[in-house]
Amino acid sequence: MLGDKFFITYHIESVASRCRVPRFILQPLIENAITHGIEESNAVGIIKITAEIYDGKLYINVYDNGKGINEKEIKQILLSDTMANEKVSNSFGIRSVLMRIKTLYGSSYGMQINSSPNTGTQCILKLPATLVYNEGIDV
């Protein structure tokens, strides 16, 4: 049980809050931040979620101040060509997010991970900025 071990802050631009995003796209990132970053740390955890539109793209940033991961692991996660790769089997959630983005939107979109041991982790999703208006109709 994590109890008071972490808190979450949000900064979502008004126009970004009206963008369509795939269902449950953030859940694996937040779960990883808690399970692999914060839960294994002795400090109070912070998860920051931001969303902004820049140059016609929606950027969603999930940051945690947990234990971080090394560059080699990041490369294995992002460059693995299969979900079943043994080296990244514990990164199934992140890989599924990346594969869903690539499948839905193409290779111009995806995810970037910035981290190093003991500094926390930042996952940045790059999605098309598709605005949704009344009744869920795309414009």
Side-chain angles (χ1 to χ4, degrees):
M1 188 78 175
L2 290 172
D4 293 330
K5 184 140 176 149
F6 72 94
F7 62 94
I8 299 176
T9 63
Y10 304 90
H11 177 74
I12 312 297
E13 286 184 350
S14 177
V15 69
S17 71
R18 297 190 336 232
C19 287
R20 179 176 302 275
V21 297
R23 295 179 196 267
F24 302 110
I25 201 79
L26 295 180
Q27 185 273 335
L29 304 179
I30 295 168
E31 182 179 337
N32 276 6
I34 294 168
T35 305
H36 300 294
I38 294 169
E39 194 173 77
E40 296 177 11
S41 171
N42 293 325
V44 173
I46 299 170
I47 298 174
K48 296 179 185 177
I49 302 171
T50 64
E52 63 184 353
I53 295 177
Y54 177 76
D55 201 23
K57 311 286 187 289
L58 173 64
Y59 292 89
I60 302 173
N61 179 11
V62 178
Y63 165 82
D64 72 74
N65 68 334
K67 69 174 191 162
I69 54 179
N70 65 50
E71 188 68 29
K72 182 179 176 183
E73 289 176 280
I74 293 171
K75 286 180 182 177
Q76 287 176 337
I77 292 166
L78 296 178
L79 298 178
S80 174
D81 59 1
T82 175
M83 294 290 289
N85 185 324
E86 289 179 24
K87 294 179 182 176
V88 294
S89 63
N90 63 345
S91 302
F92 180 82
I94 292 176
R95 288 291 307 146
S96 69
V97 168
L98 182 57
M99 290 180 68
R100 284 178 63 202
I101 291 170
K102 297 283 186 194
T103 300
L104 289 170
Y105 305 118
S107 62
S108 296
Y109 300 94
M111 175 172 37
Q112 175 181 341
I113 300 174
N114 302 315
S115 186
S116 60
N118 304 312
T119 64
T121 301
Q122 176 186 41
C123 294
I124 304 168
L125 303 182
K126 178 182 173 186
L127 305 171
T130 306
L131 296 178
V132 177
Y133 292 94
N134 295 330
E135 305 300 321
I137 300 170
D138 286 343
V139 176

